[in-house]
Amino acid sequence: NSTTYLPIDLIGFFSLYEAAPDQHIREMAKKALDITFTIIAVNLHDKTMSSTYGRVYEHDLKAMELGEVANLSFITWNKGYLNTAMRSTTLFCISDYIPPNLDHFLIEDGTKSLLTQYIQGIKKVYTYNYKTKAYSMSSAINFNAFKKGHQQHAMNISLGNDNTQIWINHPGEAVYSGENRPSFWAGNGISPNIRQYKQYMMMEYRLHEPFLPFIHAYLPFWKLDEIIEDGNWLFARKDTSYLAIYFSEGFERIKEEAVAHREVRSYGLSHKLLVNCSSQQEEHSFEAFMQRQKAAKVEINGRVWSYEDRGLGKLEMKDEELYLNDRRVEYTAGYKIESEFNELLTL
């Protein structure tokens, strides 16, 4: 899913599609192009590709509209941004390749949702993406859990329609904009265990020395209309898109230096987090959404922990597996991209 390296792959795919002397190679290149554009489409949230990424850099996360995928999506679907990243974009423009019709993956109807699941790469990374017109939530399910991480972007939230990206990670270094991999904002020093069911996510971190003893969330406050701190709950609203994050160890918003107000930090070695997205379409109001979250029952008993909500039922994490109303949530997709369209429920 890497927005950094998909355009690099496309240079080769377009070159082979246009210039390979072997017809079989040209046909394989077309298949590769079709799959790549499908990956972009299912992860595109309004104007930017908003997902979990196999490799990413801080500048990509903070300004996805400047990446080359934004060019490709603008040219293909008139949904994106034009910029000066022109490596594969130029080849796309002079090629006779036409992507398949993928418009149904773009979710323009506010009453619809799209759930996409697929496995990627030789490490069999399970990619899970749930999106509506108002928000998108993505994760790499149980990837490298509790082990030393790298540049993998394990989870991502997108709110609204102007590239408002929020994510949680464990910094790999203390320097705000350092060059390490993982860095302060890109990747994880220690990877989390993540389980997701539609717009609900449960995350767990188990940190240890010599790694930094805190996790944090990136909060672009200048793009958000409301930010509410209430006990262990952090709430955010962007237009009619809503976000709630529960930090088991509490949190604080850093108010000094380069990360002032945009960093939400939670200290400690053991962390359990609940993340939930919603919208006015589903909840009617931001206040109703917050009240429902605060009324939900959160129980943490060692490594068994749960979230019980009147609209959803009971989500429970035990033995590092996710259960919904006592039934294990299965992740059964293969390398083929599997997508499911649903009607949004109003609570």
Side-chain angles (χ1 to χ4, degrees):
N1 275 6
S2 175
T3 56
T4 305
Y5 289 99
L6 283 180
I8 304 302
D9 296 337
L10 287 171
I11 293 173
F13 297 156
F14 278 122
S15 298
L16 291 171
Y17 175 79
E18 291 294 340
D22 190 297
Q23 178 64 24
H24 174 65
I25 293 177
R26 293 197 297 273
E27 291 172 356
M28 293 294 287
K30 183 182 184 305
K31 289 183 180 180
L33 288 166
D34 289 350
I35 291 171
T36 304
F37 276 87
T38 302
I39 288 173
I40 294 172
V42 298
N43 291 288
L44 192 70
H45 189 233
D46 200 73
K47 296 180 180 180
T48 50
M49 184 174 165
S50 303
S51 187
T52 172
Y53 310 113
R55 177 171 286 189
V56 76
Y57 297 87
E58 181 178 335
H59 63 270
D60 296 316
L61 294 173
K62 291 181 174 179
M64 201 61 69
E65 67 270 27
L66 299 181
E68 192 160 2
V69 171
N71 278 338
L72 299 170
S73 61
F74 182 91
I75 293 167
T76 307
W77 302 290
N78 196 28
K79 292 174 68 68
Y81 298 88
L82 291 177
N83 56 59
T84 58
M86 292 291 180
R87 292 165 294 191
S88 62
T89 302
T90 303
L91 292 173
F92 184 25
C93 290
I94 64 175
S95 170
D96 65 2
Y97 171 75
I98 298 175
N101 187 350
L102 303 167
D103 291 358
H104 54 292
F105 289 132
L106 304 183
I107 305 296
E108 299 288 352
D109 187 339
T111 68
K112 304 288 186 182
S113 67
L114 172 66
L115 170 61
T116 306
Q117 304 178 69
Y118 53 100
I119 288 174
Q120 289 184 291
I122 59 174
K123 292 187 177 181
K124 298 184 178 181
V125 180
Y126 200 98
T127 302
Y128 191 106
N129 180 278
Y130 182 85
K131 71 175 178 179
T132 70
K133 185 174 177 59
Y135 59 82
S136 175
M137 176 187 284
S138 307
S139 61
I141 302 294
N142 193 33
F143 175 69
N144 200 42
F146 313 127
K147 299 176 183 177
K148 186 179 184 300
H150 201 261
Q151 284 176 269
Q152 297 89 356
H153 190 61
M155 66 85 70
N156 195 80
I157 303 293
S158 173
L159 300 179
N161 59 10
D162 69 344
N163 191 34
T164 299
Q165 310 292 323
I166 298 169
W167 66 89
I168 298 165
N169 70 357
H170 173 231
E173 63 177 343
V175 180
Y176 295 155
S177 293
E179 298 297 328
N180 282 346
R181 305 177 185 186
S183 67
F184 188 76
W185 281 122
N188 282 271
I190 298 292
S191 298
N193 177 29
I194 301 179
R195 303 286 172 159
Q196 183 178 340
Y197 175 76
K198 296 186 177 179
Q199 71 267 47
Y200 299 89
M201 183 185 294
M202 301 182 80
M203 301 178 64
E204 181 177 1
Y205 278 96
R206 300 175 190 170
L207 310 180
H208 56 79
E209 294 183 349
F211 295 91
L212 294 172
F214 65 89
I215 61 171
H216 61 181
Y218 181 76
L219 195 69
F221 63 90
W222 60 96
K223 290 187 173 185
L224 299 170
D225 297 297
E226 290 186 73
I227 300 172
I228 306 294
E229 302 174 34
D230 193 323
N232 290 50
W233 286 103
L234 174 70
F235 299 102
R237 179 180 68 83
K238 168 69 178 181
D239 299 327
T240 60
S241 309
Y242 310 148
L243 170 66
I245 306 174
Y246 179 91
F247 294 86
S248 66
E249 307 309 301
F251 65 90
E252 69 166 333
R253 285 183 70 190
I254 303 302
K255 297 181 173 60
E256 299 175 345
E257 301 183 355
V259 292
H261 308 294
R262 73 190 66 199
E263 183 187 14
V264 177
R265 187 176 293 191
S266 183
Y267 293 94
L269 298 180
S270 177
H271 298 269
K272 296 174 175 64
L273 301 104
L274 304 165
V275 187
N276 179 8
C277 287
S278 193
S279 65
Q280 189 178 75
Q281 177 74 36
E282 298 160 272
E283 300 275 353
H284 298 305
S285 72
F286 187 46
E287 181 64 30
F289 171 68
M290 290 190 294
Q291 290 301 324
R292 186 167 68 86
Q293 301 311 307
K294 290 186 287 185
K297 186 178 181 181
V298 179
E299 289 189 337
I300 298 176
N301 183 15
R303 292 187 176 177
V304 178
W305 51 298
S306 63
Y307 163 89
E308 191 166 359
D309 168 73
R310 63 172 173 81
L312 174 71
K314 185 177 183 179
L315 273 179
E316 184 176 39
M317 187 83 83
K318 56 184 177 181
D319 299 325
E320 299 173 16
E321 295 281 352
L322 182 62
Y323 292 79
L324 173 61
N325 298 325
D326 297 321
R327 296 186 64 177
R328 190 170 75 173
V329 176
E330 302 286 349
Y331 302 101
T332 57
Y335 283 97
K336 182 179 178 181
I337 296 172
E338 296 186 5
S339 293
E340 171 187 323
F341 296 87
N342 289 291
E343 297 285 337
L344 276 184
L345 298 177
T346 300
L347 298 175

